[in-house]
Coordinates of all heavy atoms in Angstrom, one line a residue:
F402 N 8.8 -8.5 8.2 CA 9.5 -7.4 7.6 C 8.9 -6.1 8.0 O 7.6 -6.0 8.0 CB 9.3 -7.6 6.0 CG 9.9 -8.8 5.5 CD1 9.1 -10.0 5.3 CD2 11.2 -8.9 5.1 CE1 9.6 -11.1 4.8 CE2 11.8 -10.1 4.6 CZ 11.0 -11.2 4.4
S403 N 9.7 -5.2 8.4 CA 9.3 -3.9 8.9 C 9.9 -2.8 8.0 O 11.0 -3.0 7.4 CB 9.7 -3.7 10.3 OG 9.0 -4.6 11.2
S404 N 9.2 -1.7 7.9 CA 9.7 -0.6 7.2 C 11.0 -0.1 7.8 O 11.1 0.1 9.0 CB 8.7 0.5 7.1 OG 9.2 1.6 6.4
R405 N 12.1 0.1 7.0 CA 13.4 0.5 7.5 C 13.7 2.0 7.2 O 14.7 2.5 7.7 CB 14.4 -0.3 6.8 CG 14.3 -1.8 7.2 CD 15.2 -2.6 6.3 NE 14.8 -2.4 4.9 CZ 15.4 -2.9 3.9 NH1 16.4 -3.7 4.0 NH2 15.0 -2.6 2.6
A406 N 12.9 2.7 6.5 CA 13.2 4.1 6.1 C 12.0 5.0 6.4 O 10.9 4.5 6.6 CB 13.5 4.1 4.6
N407 N 12.2 6.2 6.4 CA 11.1 7.2 6.5 C 10.4 7.3 5.2 O 11.1 7.2 4.1 CB 11.7 8.6 7.0 CG 12.2 8.5 8.4 OD1 11.5 7.9 9.3 ND2 13.3 9.2 8.6
P408 N 9.1 7.5 5.2 CA 8.4 7.6 3.9 C 8.9 8.8 3.1 O 9.2 9.8 3.6 CB 6.9 7.7 4.3 CG 6.9 8.1 5.7 CD 8.2 7.7 6.3
I409 N 8.8 8.6 1.8 CA 9.2 9.7 0.9 C 8.1 10.7 0.8 O 8.4 11.9 0.8 CB 9.5 9.1 -0.6 CG1 10.8 8.3 -0.5 CG2 9.6 10.3 -1.6 CD1 11.1 7.5 -1.8
I410 N 6.9 10.3 0.8 CA 5.8 11.3 0.8 C 5.2 11.4 2.2 O 5.2 10.4 3.0 CB 4.7 10.9 -0.3 CG1 4.1 9.6 0.0 CG2 5.2 11.0 -1.7 CD1 2.8 9.3 -0.8
D411 N 4.6 12.5 2.5 CA 4.0 12.8 3.8 C 3.0 11.7 4.1 O 2.1 11.4 3.3 CB 3.4 14.2 3.7 CG 2.9 14.6 5.1 OD1 2.1 14.0 5.7 OD2 3.5 15.6 5.6
P412 N 3.0 11.1 5.3 CA 2.0 10.1 5.7 C 0.6 10.6 5.7 O -0.3 9.8 5.8 CB 2.5 9.7 7.1 CG 3.9 10.1 7.2 CD 4.0 11.3 6.3
S413 N 0.4 11.9 5.7 CA -1.0 12.4 5.7 C -1.6 12.4 4.3 O -2.8 12.6 4.1 CB -1.1 13.8 6.3 OG -0.4 14.7 5.4
I414 N -0.8 12.2 3.3 CA -1.3 12.2 1.9 C -2.1 10.9 1.7 O -1.6 9.8 1.8 CB -0.2 12.3 0.9 CG1 0.4 13.7 1.0 CG2 -0.7 12.0 -0.6 CD1 1.7 13.9 0.1
P415 N -3.4 11.0 1.3 CA -4.2 9.8 1.1 C -3.7 9.0 -0.2 O -3.3 9.6 -1.2 CB -5.6 10.3 0.9 CG -5.5 11.8 0.5 CD -4.2 12.2 1.1
I416 N -3.9 7.7 -0.1 CA -3.5 6.8 -1.2 C -4.6 5.9 -1.6 O -5.3 5.4 -0.7 CB -2.3 6.0 -0.8 CG1 -1.1 6.8 -0.4 CG2 -1.9 5.0 -1.9 CD1 0.1 6.0 0.1
A417 N -4.8 5.7 -2.9 CA -5.8 4.8 -3.4 C -5.0 3.8 -4.3 O -4.1 4.2 -5.0 CB -6.9 5.5 -4.2
V418 N -5.3 2.5 -4.1 CA -4.6 1.5 -4.9 C -5.7 0.8 -5.8 O -6.7 0.4 -5.3 CB -4.0 0.4 -4.0 CG1 -3.3 -0.7 -4.9 CG2 -3.0 1.0 -3.1
L419 N -5.4 0.8 -7.1 CA -6.3 0.2 -8.1 C -5.9 -1.2 -8.4 O -4.7 -1.4 -8.7 CB -6.4 1.1 -9.4 CG -6.7 2.6 -9.3 CD1 -6.6 3.2 -10.7 CD2 -8.0 2.8 -8.6
I420 N -6.9 -2.1 -8.3 CA -6.6 -3.5 -8.7 C -7.7 -4.1 -9.5 O -8.8 -3.5 -9.5 CB -6.4 -4.4 -7.4 CG1 -7.7 -4.5 -6.6 CG2 -5.2 -3.9 -6.6 CD1 -7.6 -5.6 -5.5
N421 N -7.5 -5.2 -10.1 CA -8.5 -5.9 -10.9 C -8.3 -7.4 -10.8 O -7.4 -7.8 -10.0 CB -8.6 -5.4 -12.3 CG -7.4 -5.7 -13.2 OD1 -6.5 -6.4 -12.7 ND2 -7.4 -5.2 -14.4
K422 N -9.1 -8.2 -11.5 CA -9.0 -9.6 -11.4 C -7.7 -10.2 -11.8 O -7.4 -11.3 -11.6 CB -10.2 -10.3 -12.1 CG -10.2 -10.0 -13.6 CD -11.4 -10.6 -14.3 CE -11.3 -10.3 -15.8 NZ -12.5 -10.7 -16.4
S423 N -6.9 -9.4 -12.5 CA -5.6 -9.8 -13.0 C -4.4 -9.3 -12.1 O -3.3 -9.5 -12.5 CB -5.3 -9.4 -14.4 OG -6.3 -10.0 -15.3
S424 N -4.7 -8.7 -11.0 CA -3.7 -8.2 -10.1 C -3.4 -9.4 -9.2 O -4.3 -10.0 -8.5 CB -4.2 -7.1 -9.2 OG -4.6 -6.0 -10.0
A425 N -2.1 -9.8 -9.1 CA -1.8 -11.0 -8.3 C -0.4 -10.9 -7.6 O 0.3 -9.9 -7.8 CB -1.7 -12.2 -9.3
S426 N -0.2 -11.8 -6.8 CA 1.1 -12.0 -6.1 C 1.6 -10.7 -5.4 O 1.0 -10.3 -4.5 CB 2.1 -12.4 -7.2 OG 3.4 -12.6 -6.8
A427 N 2.7 -10.1 -5.8 CA 3.2 -8.9 -5.2 C 2.3 -7.8 -5.2 O 2.2 -6.9 -4.3 CB 4.6 -8.5 -5.8
S428 N 1.4 -7.7 -6.2 CA 0.4 -6.6 -6.3 C -0.6 -6.8 -5.2 O -1.0 -5.8 -4.5 CB -0.4 -6.7 -7.6 OG 0.5 -6.4 -8.7
E429 N -1.0 -8.0 -4.9 CA -1.9 -8.3 -3.8 C -1.2 -8.0 -2.4 O -1.9 -7.5 -1.5 CB -2.4 -9.7 -3.8 CG -3.2 -10.0 -5.1 CD -3.5 -11.5 -5.3 OE1 -2.5 -12.3 -5.2 OE2 -4.6 -11.9 -5.4
I430 N 0.0 -8.2 -2.3 CA 0.7 -8.0 -1.1 C 0.8 -6.5 -0.8 O 0.5 -6.0 0.3 CB 2.2 -8.6 -1.1 CG1 2.0 -10.1 -1.0 CG2 3.0 -8.0 0.0 CD1 3.3 -10.9 -1.3
V431 N 1.1 -5.7 -1.8 CA 1.2 -4.2 -1.7 C -0.2 -3.7 -1.3 O -0.3 -2.9 -0.4 CB 1.8 -3.5 -3.0 CG1 1.6 -2.0 -2.9 CG2 3.3 -3.9 -3.1
A432 N -1.2 -4.1 -2.1 CA -2.5 -3.6 -1.9 C -3.0 -4.0 -0.5 O -3.6 -3.1 0.3 CB -3.5 -4.1 -3.0
G433 N -2.8 -5.2 -0.1 CA -3.3 -5.7 1.2 C -2.6 -5.1 2.3 O -3.2 -4.8 3.3
A434 N -1.3 -5.0 2.2 CA -0.5 -4.4 3.3 C -0.9 -2.9 3.5 O -1.2 -2.5 4.7 CB 1.0 -4.5 3.0
L435 N -1.1 -2.2 2.5 CA -1.5 -0.8 2.6 C -2.9 -0.6 3.2 O -3.2 0.3 4.0 CB -1.4 0.0 1.2 CG 0.0 0.2 0.7 CD1 0.0 0.8 -0.7 CD2 0.8 1.1 1.6
Q436 N -3.8 -1.6 2.8 CA -5.1 -1.5 3.3 C -5.1 -1.9 4.8 O -5.7 -1.3 5.6 CB -6.0 -2.5 2.6 CG -7.4 -2.6 3.1 CD -8.3 -3.5 2.2 OE1 -8.4 -3.3 1.0 NE2 -8.9 -4.5 2.9
D437 N -4.4 -3.0 5.2 CA -4.3 -3.4 6.6 C -3.7 -2.4 7.5 O -4.1 -2.3 8.7 CB -3.5 -4.8 6.7 CG -4.3 -5.9 6.1 OD1 -5.5 -5.8 5.8 OD2 -3.7 -7.0 6.0
L438 N -2.8 -1.6 7.0 CA -2.1 -0.6 7.7 C -2.9 0.7 7.8 O -2.4 1.7 8.3 CB -0.7 -0.3 7.2 CG 0.3 -1.5 7.3 CD1 1.5 -1.2 6.5 CD2 0.6 -1.7 8.8
D439 N -4.1 0.7 7.2 CA -4.9 1.9 7.0 C -4.2 3.0 6.3 O -4.4 4.2 6.6 CB -5.5 2.4 8.4 CG -6.6 1.5 8.9 OD1 -7.3 0.9 8.1 OD2 -6.7 1.4 10.1
R440 N -3.3 2.7 5.4 CA -2.5 3.7 4.7 C -3.1 4.0 3.3 O -2.8 5.0 2.7 CB -1.1 3.2 4.5 CG -0.1 4.2 3.9 CD 0.0 5.4 4.7 NE 0.8 6.5 4.1 CZ 0.2 7.5 3.4 NH1 -1.1 7.6 3.3 NH2 1.0 8.3 2.8
A441 N -4.0 3.1 2.8 CA -4.6 3.3 1.5 C -6.0 2.6 1.5 O -6.3 1.7 2.3 CB -3.7 2.7 0.4
V442 N -6.8 3.0 0.5 CA -8.0 2.3 0.2 C -7.8 1.5 -1.1 O -7.0 2.0 -2.0 CB -9.2 3.2 0.0 CG1 -9.6 3.9 1.3 CG2 -9.0 4.3 -1.0
V443 N -8.3 0.3 -1.2 CA -8.2 -0.5 -2.4 C -9.5 -0.4 -3.2 O -10.6 -0.6 -2.6 CB -7.8 -1.9 -2.0 CG1 -7.7 -2.8 -3.3 CG2 -6.5 -2.0 -1.2

């Protein structure tokens, strides 16, 4: 799956994703993908 649209917010805006031991499934996918793409810190 690849991104099909231009981002809504500027790609230079830093992102942090907050997770805890109860973050699972799709939450882990979002956090992991953003981290792997160097788009966010978890």
